[in-house]
Amino acid sequence: MEHYVTLFDSMFLPQGLALHASLERHGGAYTLWVLCMDEAAHDTLTRLKLPHLRTLRLSAVETPELKRVKEGRTRGEYCWTITPFAPRFVFEADPAVERVTYLDADLWFRRSPAPIFREFAASGKHVLITDHAYAPEYDRSAGSGQYCVQFVTFRRGASEPVRSWWAQRCLEWCYNRYEDGKFGDQKYLDDWPERFADSVHVLQQADLLLAPWNATRFPYGKAVAWHFHGLRLQGARIVLADGYALPTPVVRNVYAPYVAELRTGIERLKQEGFAVPAAPPGRSGARGLINALAHNLWRLRSRRVVDL
């Protein structure tokens, strides 16, 4: 049984549903814990009664130290601040959990994650982190960090010195800017392989977790999961940010299926009474979006808006 934890608010529900659907296909025996960052997300997921999903209400786990820093940070910065606490919340909620992996909510599994956990087990370490593995033309490690907070695994007990050190640093400073060698919750990981050499393992199979910043470096076919960084739903449109070029096969075989899954999630949310912005008149929902992706690939590759 693998335990995963992610966090998001109601605006990110479609991505959360897509993540869950991908784990249903590829996750084997698993539980996905969702730290709900607002009541609407918690109430909606409670109504949906998704299999193998357990919710954590923010108000029930939020600590006084987190509340003290909350007012001085944006919504996104606070999500980053609370990320190191999410595995702790799962360990506290269920004493039977021996290992928990933090996932970004915009991650999507394409095949079984078993190869990742086999490598981690063979390492004998207590924490797993992943390299950004940037394509050379998109190397932002100096500002954004060598390692990516997208898939971070902690073993109960032995990983606690690493997790608690990270949590304390994020309480002290966690902002959406580069300052004095820090950026958000992420640059803190840069020296973990040295600072916590006996505990931290860096995934060596870098092509198992891919993202737009390395789509031109690795073939997409081997990827266990794809990180859809910069893809956002804005009403009846999707927007790709940050200026990454996407090879045509990646658009067709990775992005198009993912966006179709987002649309399926949106339709389910509508059925549950959740207010989701409708597509503009004359559009045809998911079918229209897939047509846009298939026949207007240049739009995605040039990072323009694609209408649904």
Side-chain angles (χ1 to χ4, degrees):
M1 170 71 74
E2 293 295 341
H3 290 263
Y4 303 95
V5 62
T6 190
L7 58 91
F8 53 83
D9 62 16
S10 53
M11 297 300 294
F12 232 66
L13 275 166
Q15 287 90 335
L17 295 186
L19 169 61
H20 173 264
S22 73
L23 282 168
E24 282 292 285
R25 289 190 295 272
H26 304 296
Y30 83 96
T31 297
L32 175 63
W33 298 74
V34 178
L35 176 56
C36 299
M37 299 300 290
D38 61 21
E39 286 299 311
H42 181 269
D43 293 347
T44 301
L45 290 174
T46 300
R47 292 201 305 272
L48 288 173
K49 297 180 180 178
L50 299 172
H52 310 118
L53 185 146
R54 296 177 66 176
T55 58
L56 296 167
R57 182 183 259 117
L58 178 62
S59 60
V61 298
E62 202 171 21
T63 66
E65 55 191 353
L66 283 167
K67 291 178 181 178
R68 279 196 296 271
V69 303
K70 186 175 185 177
E71 292 304 314
R73 300 183 185 179
T74 67
R75 181 187 295 264
E77 289 167 347
Y78 188 62
C79 286
W80 289 349
T81 302
I82 209 168
T83 294
F85 290 84
R88 167 184 149 184
F89 295 152
V90 173
F91 286 136
E92 291 175 346
D94 188 343
V97 175
E98 290 298 323
R99 181 166 72 187
V100 61
T101 299
Y102 167 79
L103 302 175
D104 272 351
D106 53 359
L107 210 68
W108 189 64
F109 286 86
R110 302 186 67 250
R111 58 186 71 247
S112 168
I116 297 175
F117 292 118
R118 282 197 296 267
E119 180 182 311
F120 181 42
S123 75
K125 301 294 181 69
H126 313 304
V127 177
L128 174 71
I129 61 176
T130 61
D131 200 304
H132 271 107
Y134 291 106
E137 65 269 29
Y138 297 126
D139 188 349
R140 301 179 183 178
S141 52
S144 297
Q146 179 73 30
Y147 306 104
C148 184
V149 179
Q150 61 180 349
F151 189 110
V152 187
T153 302
F154 295 90
R155 296 184 189 276
R156 180 184 286 275
S159 68
E160 182 57 18
V162 181
R163 190 211 61 79
S164 61
W165 181 91
W166 187 26
Q168 188 59 41
R169 300 293 80 72
C170 287
L171 284 171
E172 294 168 355
W173 191 99
C174 190
Y175 298 98
N176 186 19
R177 62 178 183 267
Y178 179 81
E179 182 179 304
D180 298 330
K182 305 184 290 289
F183 175 76
D185 58 345
Q186 194 155 263
K187 282 285 284 181
Y188 292 122
L189 277 61
D190 274 9
D191 70 350
W192 281 14
E194 294 77 37
R195 181 184 294 272
F196 302 110
D198 293 335
S199 294
V200 173
H201 175 70
V202 179
L203 183 69
Q204 297 302 292
Q205 301 174 82
D207 56 350
L208 295 186
L209 287 167
L210 298 185
W213 53 75
N214 52 30
T216 59
R217 178 180 176 186
F218 300 107
Y220 74 88
K222 189 180 174 182
V224 163
W226 194 276
H227 185 175
F228 289 88
H229 169 81
L231 190 156
R232 293 292 182 267
L233 299 171
Q234 293 185 357
R237 303 182 300 178
I238 61 167
V239 178
L240 288 179
D242 288 344
Y244 298 111
L246 297 173
T248 296
V250 170
V251 174
R252 286 177 172 157
N253 298 304
V254 180
Y255 276 74
Y258 179 68
V259 172
E261 190 124 272
L262 291 179
R263 297 304 300 159
T264 298
I266 288 172
E267 291 305 315
R268 185 165 187 187
L269 291 170
K270 287 181 179 178
Q271 292 170 10
E272 292 296 322
F274 187 83
V276 179
R283 303 289 180 178
S284 53
R287 180 179 299 175
L289 177 56
I290 298 308
N291 288 339
L293 289 170
H295 300 299
N296 296 290
L297 299 177
W298 64 270
R299 291 190 178 188
L300 280 178
R301 293 206 302 273
S302 60
R303 283 80 62 195
R304 298 189 183 185
V305 168
V306 176
D307 292 324
L308 299 188

